[in-house]
Amino acid sequence: MNLSQKRLMHEYKELSKNPVPGIAAAPINEKNLYEWEAYIRGPTETPFQTGVFRAVLSFPKDYPMSPPKMKFTSKLFHPNVFPDGNVCISILHPPGDDPMGYESASERWSPVQSVEKILLSVLSMLSEPNCDSPANVDAAKLWRNDRPAFNKKAEECSRLSRQ
């Protein structure tokens, strides 16, 4: 077992022993620690509160030096989620300075991050999106300008996620 596999196994055991409320995550197949699935319950008092959203985390072979990629497989209308389900959040961006000058290096990935921290960040993101994200401009525009219309689309995704 190499260093990244040991780290992922350790994180899996920690999440199993100390689960995070509203989140479940584990390798899809224990023989491949580089592909995980996660289920995230929508936060209360948000339009996502009735949903349980499935996502896949794909870890690079040099984890934790590089961040995983995260993609929702449940439909999710959100400013930080691309229409194809890929998540756009600072903690998942490669370490170092942002070439666009948008994020500070301290907001981006570092090897001290973990699966738990990623999932907690995504849970927080559901409640408080970054509307400057390039992921879903239409969702960001509705979030800023027409919250009832945003809520209606988000609630529809929440309903679909439970079917």
Side-chain angles (χ1 to χ4, degrees):
M1 197 178 272
N2 66 33
L3 181 62
S4 63
Q5 291 169 319
K6 287 178 184 175
R7 168 77 180 261
L8 287 165
M9 181 55 81
H10 174 75
E11 290 188 39
Y12 171 48
K13 287 178 180 176
E14 284 299 309
L15 280 172
S16 298
K17 282 193 294 191
N18 303 304
V20 177
I23 296 171
I28 294 170
N29 175 339
E30 287 190 29
K31 292 183 174 150
N32 178 8
L33 296 174
Y34 295 105
E35 295 291 323
W36 288 39
E37 68 181 343
Y39 291 90
I40 300 173
R41 183 176 302 130
T44 57
E45 298 182 30
T46 73
F48 306 104
Q49 68 185 355
T50 62
V52 176
F53 302 94
R54 182 182 183 270
V56 174
L57 290 116
S58 300
F59 295 87
K61 299 293 183 199
D62 69 341
Y63 180 81
M65 300 313 292
S66 297
K69 299 213 180 303
M70 183 172 180
K71 181 176 185 173
F72 279 101
T73 58
S74 301
K75 184 175 177 173
L76 187 60
F77 184 74
H78 190 279
N80 300 104
V81 179
F82 285 96
D84 68 359
N86 282 304
V87 176
C88 181
I89 189 170
S90 299
I91 194 173
L92 294 176
H93 295 162
D97 292 327
D98 179 5
M100 305 298 279
Y102 172 70
E103 301 166 330
S104 71
S106 65
E107 296 174 303
R108 297 167 68 88
W109 180 258
S110 79
V112 299
Q113 306 295 5
S114 64
V115 174
E116 178 181 3
K117 289 178 184 174
I118 293 166
L119 296 173
L120 286 170
S121 294
V122 169
L123 189 60
S124 177
M125 171 199 85
L126 290 175
S127 298
E128 298 180 31
N130 174 358
C131 289
D132 293 326
S133 168
N136 192 327
V137 177
D138 293 336
K141 185 188 284 186
L142 279 181
W143 176 272
R144 282 192 297 265
N145 302 326
D146 190 349
R147 195 63 65 86
F150 174 87
N151 290 348
K152 183 177 179 184
K153 284 186 166 251
E155 288 166 357
E156 180 183 319
C157 291
S158 293
R159 277 194 305 278
L160 291 173
S161 76
R162 296 187 66 83
Q163 295 178 353

